[in-house]
Amino acid sequence: MTAPLTAPITAPRVLSLIPPMTQLNTPYPSTAYLTGFLRSRSVDARQDDLALKLVLELFSPAGLDALRERVRAMPAKKRSATLKLFDAEFDRYRATVTPALAFLQGRDPTLAHRIASRMLLPEGPRFASLDVYYDPDGGDPLAWAFGALGVQDKARHLATLYLNDLADVLREAADERFEFVRYAESLAMAQPSFEPLARALAAPPTLVDETLQRLTLEALARHQPQVVLLSVPFPGSVYAAFRIAQTIKAANPSIVTVLGGGFVNTELRELTEPRVFDHFDFITLDDGERPLLALLEHLAGKRGQSRLVRTYLREEGAVRYINLAEPDIPFAEVGTPTWDGLPLDGYLSILDMLNPMHRLWSDGRWNKLTVAHGCYWKKCSFCDVSLDYIGRYDTASAELLVDRIEAVVAETGQTGFHFVDEAAPPKMLKALADELARRGRTISWWGNIRFEKSFTPELCRQLADSGCIAISGGLEVASDRLLKLMQKGVSVDQVARVTKGFSDAGILVHAYLMYGFPTQTVQDTVDALEYVRQLFDAGCIQSGFFHRFVCTVHSPVGQKPEDYGVRLKPLPPISFAKNDVGFIDPTGVDHDALGVALNKALYNYMHGIGLDQDVRSWFDMKVPKTRVPRNFISRALGY
């Protein structure tokens, strides 16, 4: 049972933490948003990134020493080739890990020449991926990507492979759950019971756990908080957030711990598991500004418990949800995010994928900002349109947005922005471009949109002039029948014209693609891949990613499956996470098998390979010939 508060916390110091793992190249923005907002309300708010600090600690000389101890503690016969190479080349790994990370942080760019020579870093199994680019004449296999002068990027790619080799060693020898993004994801994602997470938290700590515990205690000593906020955007950051909270409660039970974030907002809306509150005193749903103000007033003795907003707690051993209806903070009043307190010079610009558009997600420290709250379309049948982060659309003026941009540039000294909207509205982007031009402000930006006809070639050129370098958007299944069923509000030929307008303006285009949507047939899949091939071939898109469709309980498909020709599978008893739900599709298509071919084709298309091949060649099974005319996209473009 959660102990009742014995005395009000006056003027609390709030510490917001980014738990492992989110991303390595830039801070996840939730703490920056909340810290900026709380400071605008005169709260002593701090923030720290334990995800980055964990990686830097694990991949340091001392971290590698501890890792080698784990490797050598394993029976020799159980050591894989990866572990044997690490042990044999340990002295080289230890000598190069600090310089390699300093290079990826941008603090030692001249090291690029030595890294690019491939004589400095030890090369493990991850470097085998370079065989894809084998040069039969004995030349540089990466010359096609980086040329003679692309030394910095080539070195960054090689240093990324080196870092991935070390992560493989860590995973095999110290913690099989470790990933740079999806750390221990299976313990939380759509997990109906808290039991797997509880068992993991009760188990002896791994090397990763021990390191994270030490970093947590150091953060507590440095900031001396009364309240700690942990934001978990993804299932892959849940386990570490609980480990952090567990450490806090063991060190000082009086510190109030609060859990929130995207994972909570989607998966814990029907939480009934009391054990969660052994680690967290409160859990808040949806946008955190209003619930946190109410909670801080409660902790200060200025608001009764019954007047909390969208907040879970444990009372008399049972989970209780309290939600006094109060309006959310308008988007125009949430304040300007601040990165003060985050180690901005410590983030790692890694280069996994050589595709120029794909690399933006991991390369470069982008200031993350939102143009508008929610989605102005909010109709897509696969999306969580019933939830606040999609359904509540709210905007601010372009003047205020540029004020925020200027404040962030003044604070960080960096002019790159990633607009993290669900779908940035065309009118707002045009107004933003107008205001940036009026002030003579030079920035670079990219973000997510809908491929709708409002993005004319003229607007695309204006956005390029304002600093737009790339956009991403959902094509989903390239099929007019399925796009209509999805209520996307776009057609394939419209997407072709819009994406070509962006490309012609010099803006890179990434397409989110989907397979396995209800009633999607093998023929639909083959036709969709042909559309995608033609879009790449025509220069409409430069990058893409195929996602397997997942039905969620908050989407129109999950709420009215009969409208989409499917039946939902019954869910087990749920006390913890509820989001994904299985369904029975009468088509009976093996989408997993098709997905292998789709991703193989897409990987090659992004490297300019195989664009003249029949799409059937990518499949290991017999599939029908496409019904799409070979010139469909070129006709749509008016060629």
Side-chain angles (χ1 to χ4, degrees):
M1 183 187 306
T2 301
L5 295 169
T6 57
I9 300 175
T10 57
R13 178 176 297 139
V14 178
L15 174 61
S16 296
L17 294 177
I18 302 174
M21 299 295 296
T22 51
Q23 56 192 124
L24 298 180
N25 65 310
T26 198
Y28 193 78
S30 56
T31 67
Y33 291 165
L34 290 175
T35 302
F37 170 73
L38 291 173
R39 288 184 181 180
S40 74
R41 301 301 175 102
S42 301
V43 174
D44 183 359
R46 318 277 183 93
Q47 60 185 327
D48 211 339
D49 190 341
L50 295 190
L52 176 66
K53 289 185 175 181
L54 177 66
V55 169
L56 297 181
E57 190 75 13
L58 291 170
F59 301 112
S60 67
L64 294 192
D65 288 342
L67 182 56
R68 183 170 66 163
E69 289 181 10
R70 267 67 174 182
V71 171
R72 291 192 165 179
M74 298 174 64
K77 62 182 180 181
K78 289 189 175 181
R79 297 179 200 168
S80 68
T82 298
L83 299 185
K84 290 176 181 176
L85 176 67
F86 171 74
D87 193 34
E89 295 278 5
F90 179 76
D91 290 342
R92 288 183 67 197
Y93 276 113
R94 194 181 193 283
T96 55
V97 68
T98 297
L101 264 65
F103 170 72
L104 290 173
Q105 291 168 326
R107 294 189 290 109
D108 192 4
T110 57
L111 193 65
H113 298 277
R114 292 200 64 194
I115 294 175
S117 73
R118 298 187 66 179
M119 301 296 289
L120 177 66
L121 303 179
E123 298 189 359
R126 291 286 186 147
F127 285 76
S129 64
L130 301 181
D131 294 342
V132 174
Y133 315 117
Y134 170 71
D135 184 345
D137 298 324
D140 182 358
L142 294 177
W144 71 273
F146 304 115
L149 297 177
V151 174
Q152 290 288 327
D153 280 350
K154 178 182 176 182
R156 190 175 294 120
H157 182 55
L158 294 171
T160 299
L161 296 176
Y162 164 91
L163 190 60
N164 286 335
D165 272 333
L166 287 175
D168 291 341
V169 174
L170 179 65
R171 191 176 306 110
E172 288 190 40
D175 192 334
E176 64 182 4
R177 303 163 304 196
F178 182 81
E179 297 282 352
F180 281 131
V181 177
R182 297 177 176 88
Y183 177 39
E185 182 180 63
S186 63
L187 294 176
M189 184 171 62
Q191 185 62 256
S193 169
F194 185 66
E195 188 58 33
L197 198 52
R199 286 197 301 268
L201 292 168
T206 66
L207 173 63
V208 178
D209 294 330
E210 291 171 354
T211 306
L212 182 58
Q213 288 168 345
R214 176 163 47 81
L215 292 171
T216 300
L217 294 175
E218 290 173 1
L220 294 182
R222 183 166 54 255
H223 296 288
Q224 296 291 313
Q226 285 80 45
V227 179
V228 173
L229 310 179
L230 283 152
S231 177
V232 287
F234 316 116
S237 55
V238 172
Y239 169 73
F242 272 83
R243 270 291 186 188
I244 291 170
Q246 182 187 60
T247 302
I248 293 171
K249 286 302 181 186
N252 186 348
S254 69
I255 295 176
V256 176
T257 52
V258 187
L259 182 67
F263 169 82
V264 174
N265 299 339
T266 54
E267 303 214 20
L268 299 189
R269 304 191 77 89
E270 299 180 25
L271 178 67
T272 60
E273 173 57 74
R275 289 179 294 174
V276 170
F277 296 90
D278 292 339
H279 310 282
F280 290 98
D281 298 292
F282 302 96
I283 296 177
T284 66
L285 292 181
D286 300 328
D287 281 4
E289 289 87 357
R290 178 61 73 190
L292 285 176
L293 285 183
L295 178 58
L296 293 177
E297 289 178 4
H298 169 60
L299 295 176
K302 299 177 181 178
R303 177 186 286 245
Q305 180 175 284
S306 63
R307 298 183 64 237
L308 292 174
V309 177
R310 295 197 303 273
T311 299
Y312 285 107
L313 50 82
R314 182 168 60 183
E315 189 174 64
E316 301 298 328
V319 178
R320 183 183 175 194
Y321 180 64
I322 303 173
N323 183 20
L324 177 68
E326 289 190 14
D328 272 292
I329 306 297
F331 182 64
E333 298 177 16
V334 296
T336 300
T338 178
W339 281 262
D340 178 48
L342 297 178
L344 296 186
D345 61 348
Y347 290 91
L348 306 170
S349 285
I350 62 176
L351 187 50
D352 275 314
M353 176 72 78
L354 304 186
N355 179 276
M357 171 74 204
H358 221 79
R359 66 184 287 180
L360 292 180
W361 276 274
S362 63
D363 184 19
R365 202 205 65 72
W366 301 95
N367 298 312
K368 292 182 182 286
L369 207 60
T370 307
V371 175
H373 183 282
C375 179
Y376 66 96
W377 179 251
K378 53 188 174 189
K379 295 180 183 178
C380 298
S381 57
F382 55 83
C383 195
D384 292 340
V385 295
S386 63
L387 298 184
D388 178 81
Y389 82 99
I390 297 288
R392 183 169 60 84
Y393 179 62
D394 190 13
T395 64
S397 68
E399 292 79 9
L400 180 57
L401 289 173
V402 178
D403 286 345
R404 290 175 178 172
I405 287 171
E406 291 181 336
V408 170
V409 171
E411 178 183 271
T412 66
Q414 294 179 298
T415 60
F417 286 83
H418 178 197
F419 295 143
V420 293
D421 300 67
E422 299 303 318
K427 288 184 179 179
M428 285 300 303
L429 290 179
K430 184 181 188 313
L432 183 63
D434 288 337
E435 185 63 16
L436 288 168
R438 189 184 70 80
R439 299 193 196 185
R441 171 59 69 179
T442 299
I443 66 169
S444 301
W445 64 269
W446 59 292
N448 198 51
I449 64 161
R450 293 184 64 253
F451 294 130
E452 61 169 75
K453 60 185 179 183
S454 300
F455 288 106
T456 63
E458 293 75 21
L459 179 55
C460 292
R461 287 191 292 270
Q462 182 184 5
L463 297 180
D465 289 341
S466 76
C468 180
I469 59 171
I471 56 96
S472 56
L475 172 55
E476 318 310 348
V477 178
S479 158
D480 284 340
R481 177 184 76 82
L482 292 173
L483 286 172
K484 185 176 180 180
L485 186 62
M486 291 177 177
Q487 298 189 61
K488 279 294 294 183
V490 299
S491 61
V492 176
D493 57 350
Q494 178 182 309
V495 169
R497 289 189 290 271
V498 171
T499 53
K500 193 64 165 70
F502 278 109
S503 293
D504 287 347
I507 296 171
L508 296 170
V509 181
H510 175 89
Y512 291 108
L513 302 162
M514 183 186 294
Y515 65 100
F517 192 76
T519 72
Q520 183 175 353
T521 64
V522 174
Q523 183 71 65
D524 288 328
T525 302
V526 173
D527 290 347
L529 185 57
E530 173 62 17
Y531 284 126
V532 171
R533 183 197 69 79
Q534 292 186 32
L535 288 168
F536 270 98
D537 197 37
C540 295
I541 60 177
Q542 290 75 45
S543 173
F545 188 82
F546 268 110
H547 302 257
R548 172 68 188 269
F549 169 75
V550 175
C551 181
T552 71
V553 295
H554 312 295
S555 69
V557 176
Q559 294 179 348
K560 291 188 176 181
E562 64 276 6
D563 291 351
Y564 303 90
V566 297
R567 289 188 296 111
L568 299 185
K569 295 180 179 179
L571 289 168
I574 291 174
S575 60
F576 187 56
K578 179 181 180 182
N579 190 43
D580 301 354
V581 55
F583 63 93
I584 299 171
D585 189 330
T587 59
V589 175
D590 184 355
H591 293 293
D592 288 334
L594 295 174
V596 173
L598 294 175
N599 284 296
K600 183 179 179 181
L602 193 62
Y603 181 84
N604 281 274
Y605 292 165
M606 285 193 290
H607 292 84
I609 300 170
L611 289 170
D612 56 349
Q613 292 180 206
D614 188 315
V615 293
R616 289 176 292 178
S617 66
W618 301 109
F619 295 89
D620 293 333
M621 66 200 79
K622 184 177 177 62
V623 295
K625 182 179 181 180
T626 181
R627 299 169 301 187
V628 180
R630 295 275 297 183
N631 62 347
F632 179 91
I633 296 298
S634 61
R635 283 208 324 261
L637 297 175
Y639 295 163

